[in-house]
Amino acid sequence: MTTVQPIAERASVQPAVGAEAAAPPPSAGRKVALLRVLGPGHVWALGVGIVLVGEFMGWNFAIGKGGAVAALAACWLAGILYTCVAMIDSEITSTVAAAGGQYAQAKHIIGPLAAFNVGLYLVMAYTMLEVSNAIVAGDLIEAFAQSLGLEGAIDKRAFMVLTVVALAFLNYRGVLATLTLNLVITAAAFAAIVVLFVATQPWAPGTVLKHEALLGGLPYGALGILAAMHFGLWFYLGIEGTTQAAEEVRSPARALPLGTMTGMMTLLIAATLTWYVCSGLMPWEYLGQAVTPLYDAARLTGSRWLELFLFLGTLFATVASANGCINDASRAWFAMGRDRYMPVWFGAVHPTYRTPYRAVVFFVPIAILFAVSTPLDQTITFSILSGLLGYTLMALSIVLFRRKWPLGSIQRGYVHPLHPLPAALLLVLCVVTYLAVFLGYGTQLLAMMAFYIAASAWFVLHRYKYVRRGEQFTMPWPKPRGY
């Protein structure tokens, strides 16, 4: 039986580009590295694939908070927030090209406690997003079965479990196949949004889309815009996941900025088209609580082929998102295990498939448990809050990064413009969103903060002694004080 060893901090030999199954098994005593097989298209598919499901479900809860107009304002404000995230992420991660993404950034730039928390934020954000996708996949298939007259014949929980297990197996077997699948089905899901937009004849207002009758202004006043910011983030949550592929792309300095920024542009277009179509077909009172708004919009057109196409588009989007979430959560957990922030047992790479297989398998029962027991709005909120905490630290990271290693002192793959404006804007929008979440989910916000404080205390009192801080600094730069 082949033994599996934790990956080295920096592999001395990079394996050749190729399919995972074709990779030769390592010789005895040789460390096993992740494969560098991905290009910009895979990075785009990872980021957009995780996020595009937000156009198919979840964003519409913002309409329930403040009405359709408030949701549009929240969509664009959240777009500014995530554009700042994408710009900052592209600069740091194209330079700190290591598995773990923002965790690796915090480890090099801020310190161990911040790195531990950022890693935990990432894992919880992606796991709860994966859970949300599994819930929607089950609800979607149940709704489609009902439309075919098969009410009561489908147990949606079985499809929730099947979604998690099947995609975990795919991630176990290899990253190239996983993200190639994401590339194909993400493109198909995006095409479904564009086709629905064209089918509703936006060039002829009033023919299919009834915005004048349905928009309804601001039913809760300007406060509704603030409240809508909570779920406005769902349009873009997860685009920062592109950084989790940093150790598996062939050219991080090129692929990460290109894949991330083009992904953000794709999402801005998709989010605006989605709002426009849905708000013109459904009254805001219904749209604000719908589980699958784009699929419902297609049903309201009366076209059976369009309904089927949007059913497939929604299913593809949920599968692509869950697939990417498993990839990202496992990379963050794997990186933490490799650095001893978590048990080193998790920092192992499969000798044949070159995947962090233990980290992949570990989250399967956790995701299933939450999927069958937790309401969708609560899993979305947990994911949003975890991501929001990470973005707050990201604003601090870029300021410290530029201060410790000024431009010209180290080689950067990408330099974001207008610094420090994006960091300041990101911080302000994060504070606004915290307030928005507190207005609607104050108890959950406080409970989650208590959880992360308790986890931090556990790390400081128990786990920190295992961390070899000096060995964590893997970049060929001047080390800052403390390393």
Side-chain angles (χ1 to χ4, degrees):
M1 180 176 180
T2 305
T3 58
V4 179
Q5 301 169 344
I7 184 174
E9 287 289 336
R10 283 185 289 176
S12 59
V13 178
Q14 290 296 342
V17 174
E20 294 87 344
S27 58
R30 181 180 173 186
K31 299 297 184 181
V32 185
L34 299 175
L35 282 175
R36 289 194 178 274
V37 293
L38 306 179
H42 296 100
V43 175
W44 177 90
L46 178 59
V48 177
I50 288 175
V51 186
L52 197 63
V53 71
E55 273 66 14
F56 288 85
M57 63 88 174
W59 68 271
N60 53 298
F61 293 148
I63 290 181
K65 291 290 184 181
V69 175
L72 179 62
C75 168
W76 287 341
L77 286 171
I80 295 172
L81 185 155
Y82 277 93
T83 299
C84 295
V85 167
M87 291 166 61
I88 292 169
D89 239 2
S90 293
E91 175 171 333
I92 301 180
T93 308
S94 63
T95 311
V96 186
Q102 292 80 16
Y103 156 77
Q105 298 172 17
K107 179 182 72 175
H108 285 86
I109 298 169
I110 306 178
L113 182 57
F116 169 79
N117 277 282
V118 170
L120 206 55
Y121 301 155
L122 290 169
V123 168
M124 296 308 300
Y126 292 127
T127 301
M128 289 301 107
L129 179 50
E130 175 194 348
V131 168
S132 302
N133 292 322
I135 293 171
V136 171
D139 286 339
L140 176 68
I141 292 173
E142 183 179 61
F144 188 70
Q146 289 175 357
S147 72
L148 297 177
L150 301 175
E151 188 170 356
I154 297 294
D155 184 354
K156 64 182 181 182
R157 292 173 299 180
F159 287 94
M160 295 176 188
V161 174
L162 180 62
T163 299
V164 173
V165 172
L167 294 177
F169 176 73
L170 183 62
N171 275 268
Y172 182 99
R173 289 297 299 267
V175 70
L176 183 59
T178 298
L179 295 189
T180 299
L181 172 65
N182 256 36
L183 180 59
V184 174
I185 61 179
T186 298
F190 180 72
I193 296 176
V194 175
V195 168
L196 178 61
F197 175 73
V198 173
T200 55
Q201 304 176 38
W203 56 84
T207 304
V208 178
L209 301 175
K210 311 290 184 179
H211 288 103
E212 186 173 344
L214 295 176
L215 282 185
L218 292 170
Y220 305 121
L223 187 63
I225 298 176
L226 174 62
M229 274 296 290
H230 176 182
F231 291 105
L233 265 63
W234 200 244
F235 274 118
Y236 314 99
L237 181 73
I239 185 61
E240 71 278 4
T242 55
T243 63
Q244 299 298 324
E247 214 166 291
E248 295 164 278
V249 293
R250 294 187 292 269
S251 176
R254 173 177 176 269
L256 292 173
L258 182 58
T260 301
M261 298 307 292
T262 54
M264 192 63 215
M265 294 174 192
T266 304
L267 293 171
L268 286 166
I269 294 169
T272 304
L273 295 184
T274 297
W275 177 90
Y276 188 80
V277 169
C278 291
S279 63
L281 285 171
M282 290 172 273
W284 72 271
E285 296 90 345
Y286 172 79
L287 184 55
Q289 49 83 41
V291 175
T292 54
L294 272 173
Y295 175 61
D296 291 348
R299 294 173 66 182
L300 287 172
T301 64
S303 170
R304 291 294 292 177
W305 75 265
L306 196 58
E307 178 184 344
L308 177 60
F309 193 31
L310 265 294
F311 165 77
L312 293 174
T314 306
L315 188 61
F316 285 167
T318 56
V319 169
S321 182
N323 201 24
C325 286
I326 294 171
N327 179 92
D328 285 359
S330 62
R331 266 61 181 179
W333 199 250
F334 153 78
M336 294 175 74
R338 180 174 64 180
D339 293 333
R340 301 173 182 270
Y341 284 72
M342 287 296 171
V344 72
W345 186 82
F346 290 110
V349 176
H350 197 284
T352 303
Y353 305 127
R354 305 290 181 85
T355 58
Y357 71 111
R358 289 175 180 167
V360 170
V361 173
F362 176 70
F363 287 103
V364 170
I366 297 172
I368 290 173
L369 179 62
F370 274 99
V372 300
S373 65
T374 310
L376 179 61
D377 64 330
Q378 301 237 357
T379 61
I380 289 176
T381 298
F382 203 158
S383 184
I384 287 173
L385 286 172
S386 297
L388 198 59
L389 288 165
Y391 307 148
T392 305
L393 282 179
M394 192 182 297
L396 174 63
S397 289
I398 188 61
V399 172
L400 292 177
F401 185 56
R402 286 287 186 96
R403 183 176 298 172
K404 291 180 177 181
W405 297 282
L407 294 181
S409 63
I410 60 173
Q411 185 176 356
R412 285 169 162 82
Y414 168 82
V415 177
H416 82 278
L418 304 177
H419 178 78
L421 180 59
L425 195 54
L426 174 58
L427 193 58
V428 169
L429 290 172
C430 283
V431 171
V432 169
T433 310
Y434 283 124
L435 180 57
V437 174
F438 182 77
L439 291 176
Y441 291 79
T443 302
Q444 189 168 353
L445 173 61
L446 294 175
M448 195 194 69
M449 295 297 292
F451 164 75
Y452 283 123
I453 291 171
S456 297
W458 171 83
F459 174 74
V460 171
L461 298 175
H462 173 69
R463 195 69 209 174
Y464 182 74
K465 62 187 176 185
Y466 297 105
V467 175
R468 299 173 181 173
R469 189 176 182 189
E471 295 180 9
Q472 292 177 35
F473 199 91
T474 58
M475 303 307 297
W477 310 334
K479 290 187 179 182
R481 186 174 302 172
Y483 278 93

